[in-house]
DNA sequence: ATCCTGAGTC
DNA sequence: GACTCTGGAT
């Protein structure tokens, strides 16, 4: 069992190295709306990307926009079959259609169709509300909180867990919250940095620290990683 | 533990 | 052909 815990300084060191290595990621780009519907685009993207590649989710967003099923009211009123057709590329299209509609329904019926009213909730209340909606689990909730509502909730996911495990860090348990706490308890709340940090960790896991055949020899974190040293020895 | 499920990569 | 991808509900 790993017994080491990262310090705040180590986490920031890793952040700096990754950022210096690949530059800022354009994580969660908003293509169709920088104004009133930006929150919708981010939340819809967060649902559509579940267990799927971003390219598939992005295509679904594009099709939704072109079909003019755009915004909470539009999704709320649209035929299910039209949504299914538009988001087919994202996979799990029947399930995701129900998820999109559940989120839109909450926004329209409880928040006047304006996500500013939802995002005004205090962080823990906002998270509880999001988690109560069908189709929104912890990761999707934190995506929406951090990237759309712009409140500090560190996004955890399978990529980041893999990095944490390979770096040999001690984690209190095996749950989402255990891994999330590792970062949130050591980093000062900062929406910009947390958003970029998550993007950097995901990029590293996807392109260097892959599930199989990781590229340890070219990893900028190699000197900090027991798994990498072992792989190369 | 199983179901949902498209598109790219190996 | 199998695997992986910015998961969540049952």
């Amino acid at each position: 069992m790993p017994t080491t815990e990262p310090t705040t300084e180590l986490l920031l060191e890793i952040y700096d190295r990754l950022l210096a290595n690949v530059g800022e990621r354009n994580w969660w780009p908003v293509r169709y709306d920088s104004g009133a519907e930006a929150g919708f685009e981010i939340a819809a993207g967060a649902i559509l990307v579940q267990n799927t590649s971003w390219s598939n989710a992005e295509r679904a967003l594009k099709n939704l926009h072109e079909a003019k099923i755009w915004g909470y009211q539009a999704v709320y009123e649209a035929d299910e079959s039209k949504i299914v057709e538009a988001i087919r590329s994202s996979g799990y299209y029947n399930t995701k259609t129900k998820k999109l509609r559940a989120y839109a329904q909450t926004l329209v019926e409880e928040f006047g169709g304006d996500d500013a009213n939802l995002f005004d909730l205090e962080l823990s209340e906002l998270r509880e509300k999001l988690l109560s909606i069908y189709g929104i689990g912890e990761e999707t909730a934190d995506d929406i909180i951090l990237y759309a509502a712009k409140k500090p909730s560190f996004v955890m996911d399978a990529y980041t867990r893999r990095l944490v495990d390979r770096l040999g860090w001690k984690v209190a348990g095996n749950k989402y919250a255990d891994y999330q706490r590792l970062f949130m308890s050591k980093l000062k709340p900062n929406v910009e940095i947390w958003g970029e940090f998550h993007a950097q960790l995901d990029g590293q896991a996807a392109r260097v620290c892959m599930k199989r055949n990781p590229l340890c020899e070219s990893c900028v974190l190699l000197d900090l990683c027991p798994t990498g040293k072992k792989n190369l020895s």
Side-chain angles (χ1 to χ4, degrees):
Chain A
M1 282 297 283
T3 54
T4 58
E5 261 183 64
T7 60
T8 297
E9 292 68 31
L10 181 60
L11 292 179
L12 293 177
E13 164 75 16
I14 287 172
Y15 175 73
D16 288 341
R17 284 196 204 182
L18 295 177
L19 187 57
N21 190 38
V22 298
E24 283 190 21
R25 312 283 316 281
N26 188 20
W27 202 251
W28 234 289
V30 176
R31 301 197 186 290
Y32 304 106
D33 271 293
S34 53
E37 308 287 14
F40 166 79
E41 181 168 345
I42 292 169
I47 290 170
L48 291 169
V49 79
Q50 289 172 2
N51 206 30
T52 311
S53 65
W54 180 252
S55 62
N56 285 350
E58 194 172 40
R59 206 168 322 169
L61 277 179
K62 180 172 189 258
N63 291 339
L64 273 179
H65 189 250
E66 286 176 357
K68 302 197 189 311
I69 307 172
W70 199 253
Y72 305 111
Q73 192 68 38
V75 170
Y76 183 64
E77 293 171 356
D79 287 349
E80 282 204 26
S81 60
K82 296 281 191 188
I83 302 177
V84 168
E85 188 184 338
I87 69 169
R88 187 168 298 275
S89 70
S90 72
Y92 310 96
Y93 39 79
N94 288 316
T95 305
K96 285 178 179 175
T97 293
K98 292 197 179 91
K99 294 178 178 182
L100 286 175
R101 299 196 82 203
Y103 186 62
Q105 180 178 2
T106 300
L107 264 293
V108 169
E109 294 183 357
E110 297 182 39
F111 295 94
D114 184 352
D115 58 25
N117 295 325
L118 170 63
F119 297 162
D120 269 349
L121 292 175
E122 186 269 329
L123 177 49
S124 64
E125 289 178 33
L126 170 59
R127 196 163 191 274
E128 283 306 304
K129 173 53 76 176
L130 288 170
L131 290 174
S132 75
I133 300 170
Y134 172 82
I136 300 186
E138 294 195 274
E139 182 179 342
T140 305
D142 288 329
D143 282 334
I144 295 171
I145 293 169
L146 186 65
Y147 294 105
K150 302 195 181 303
K151 294 176 192 276
S153 202
F154 204 93
V155 178
M156 191 44 51
D157 65 354
Y159 277 149
T160 305
R161 290 185 194 218
R162 188 162 75 223
L163 291 184
V164 167
D165 292 342
R166 286 187 176 163
L167 285 164
W169 293 346
K170 178 184 175 184
V171 187
N174 199 26
K175 297 201 166 108
Y176 182 99
D178 297 317
Y179 283 81
Q180 183 184 45
R181 200 175 305 114
L182 192 67
F183 292 87
M184 287 188 73
S185 67
K186 295 183 168 65
L187 298 174
K188 223 169 77 176
N190 185 312
V191 170
E192 293 306 314
I193 291 179
W194 289 17
E196 184 62 29
F197 206 160
H198 174 245
Q200 291 293 341
L201 292 169
D202 277 26
Q204 181 71 6
R207 299 198 302 246
V208 181
C209 196
M210 298 96 81
K211 199 164 192 179
R212 290 182 305 171
N213 306 321
L215 308 176
C216 300
E217 64 280 1
S218 61
C219 179
V220 298
L221 306 180
L222 177 58
D223 59 310
L224 307 172
C225 182
T227 308
K229 291 176 191 168
K230 193 167 165 188
N231 285 346
L232 295 182
S233 66

